[in-house]
Amino acid sequence: MQTDSVNYALLNCAIMKFIKLLLITTVVAGGISGCVRNYGKEYKLDDKHNVYYKGEGVDEAQAKKLAGYLKEMEYFQDSINSTVQLVKVKDTFNLNFVVDESKIVNGLENNFLILGAAISEVVFNNAPVTIQLTNDKLEPFKNLGYAKPVSDFNK
């Protein structure tokens, strides 16, 4: 059990370090409008950060918990507009991160998977999580697949 606590602490430290790099890729998503497309219902954490959510069994409480965790991990920062879409299909939570494709650098994709693993554990009780990178219209340009659970990192 102590090893799990150490692994989780190391994971949180790693997440905090790369979040700042992720912010470089975040797109100002003010142009996203739920009226134009079916992005889902919108949960606004504040004026700059929102989570669109849709799918069977997904609700505002889960979107709020996700937004709170992204704020805690400093993915949502006060100086940058950020949007994430949460889509639940069966038992899987699909997370779509709005990013600037031109600013994706080597290694950054793996960091999104690490963040997804932490989100699976902390926000969604270890439910499967997939990660996609999208443009500002929530159109995917890179499917990163399933985020490996934190408990599997040492395997």
Side-chain angles (χ1 to χ4, degrees):
M1 278 303 197
Q2 187 173 6
T3 302
D4 288 341
S5 296
V6 170
N7 286 340
Y8 187 71
L10 291 173
L11 176 66
N12 273 341
C13 182
I15 289 172
M16 296 297 286
K17 287 181 180 178
F18 88 82
I19 287 292
K20 291 180 173 81
L21 182 58
L22 287 177
L23 292 173
I24 295 169
T25 66
T26 303
V27 173
V28 175
I32 292 180
S33 170
C35 297
V36 177
R37 296 183 184 230
N38 184 17
Y39 297 131
K41 295 180 181 177
E42 182 180 19
Y43 171 75
K44 289 186 75 66
L45 179 66
D46 53 41
D47 289 341
K48 293 186 176 248
H49 309 107
N50 59 337
V51 174
Y52 288 98
Y53 62 98
K54 66 181 183 175
E56 187 175 323
V58 70
D59 58 22
E60 184 173 326
Q62 291 168 316
K64 181 178 181 178
K65 189 172 182 181
L66 174 60
Y69 185 72
L70 291 171
K71 181 75 170 180
E72 178 184 330
M73 291 291 102
E74 297 181 5
Y75 182 80
F76 283 170
Q77 291 194 2
D78 294 338
S79 61
I80 300 171
N81 291 347
S82 301
T83 295
V84 175
Q85 183 187 43
L86 168 62
V87 180
K88 187 172 182 193
V89 178
K90 296 184 182 180
D91 68 337
T92 302
F93 291 93
N94 302 295
L95 299 177
N96 299 315
F97 289 88
V98 175
V99 297
D100 183 343
E101 184 175 10
S102 70
K103 295 183 179 172
I104 299 294
V105 296
N106 288 340
L108 192 61
E109 293 170 357
N110 192 52
N111 292 334
F112 275 102
L113 290 171
I114 292 169
L115 179 60
I119 290 169
S120 169
E121 184 172 296
V122 175
V123 178
F124 301 127
N125 298 318
N126 292 312
V129 168
T130 64
I131 304 293
Q132 289 192 111
L133 306 180
T134 73
N135 64 20
D136 63 351
K137 294 181 176 81
L138 288 168
E139 298 167 337
F141 62 83
K142 184 76 172 190
N143 183 344
L144 303 180
Y146 282 94
K148 184 178 177 181
V150 173
S151 58
D152 291 349
F153 279 6
N154 290 332
K155 294 179 183 176

